[in-house]
Amino acid sequence: MPLYDYNCQSCQNKVSIRLSYAEYDTAKPKCPVCGSANIRRVISRVRIAKSEEARMESMADPSNFGDVDENDPKSVAKFMRKMGSEMGEELGPEFGDVVDRLESGESPEAIEQAMPDSE
Ligand SMILES: [Zn+2]
């Protein structure tokens, strides 16, 4: 049976609960630490990262993007804009902010340092 990760809202523990696929639909799992039913499913980051990776691979053909000069923030910004539209989804205000700053000539290092820790 697969393991599902949950965050307990009561005791703040991260717990893994083993459920069958059939159970997963109907079960009301409880936190094994404190017994609270107030727990939330955690969507696996690994899974998200993997699909992200697959998507990057599918558009890894460098000819899609032309030349990117990593030392030229404007060139990087152009690349990121293109990549952003390629991905066909909203990448969030932070992404747009980064691109804007690159376009105005800020170095990627400076921008990274100014960003709030995304973890
Ligand atoms: Zn708990």
Side-chain angles (χ1 to χ4, degrees):
M1 288 197 293
L3 271 176
Y4 295 95
D5 289 331
Y6 288 85
N7 270 329
C8 176
Q9 309 293 300
S10 296
C11 68
Q12 310 299 324
N13 273 300
K14 185 165 176 258
V15 297
S16 294
I17 297 175
R18 204 174 279 278
L19 295 169
S20 72
Y21 287 111
E23 277 174 331
Y24 178 64
D25 279 337
T26 53
K28 301 253 184 299
K30 287 192 171 132
C31 170
V33 180
C34 70
S36 168
N38 191 13
I39 60 178
R40 284 223 183 104
R41 175 80 206 281
V42 179
I43 304 301
S44 163
R45 275 179 157 236
V46 177
R47 205 152 139 192
I48 294 167
K50 270 196 183 148
S51 65
E52 202 69 29
E53 198 176 294
R55 194 155 51 167
M56 297 302 269
E57 261 169 39
S58 73
M59 51 184 221
D61 181 358
S63 65
N64 287 340
F65 300 113
D67 294 325
V68 180
D69 180 356
E70 283 180 16
N71 296 312
D72 176 6
K74 284 177 186 153
S75 174
V76 175
K78 206 170 138 192
F79 169 78
M80 284 175 76
R81 271 208 202 289
K82 206 158 183 180
M83 201 171 73
S85 62
E86 198 74 24
M87 288 168 84
E89 65 185 48
E90 186 57 57
L91 291 167
E94 207 171 77
F95 181 83
D97 189 39
V98 169
V99 175
D100 287 346
R101 293 171 79 154
L102 284 168
E103 275 183 337
S104 70
E106 280 191 62
S107 78
E109 289 78 19
I111 297 168
E112 207 167 283
Q113 287 195 344
M115 284 288 136
D117 193 68
S118 55
E119 275 303 298

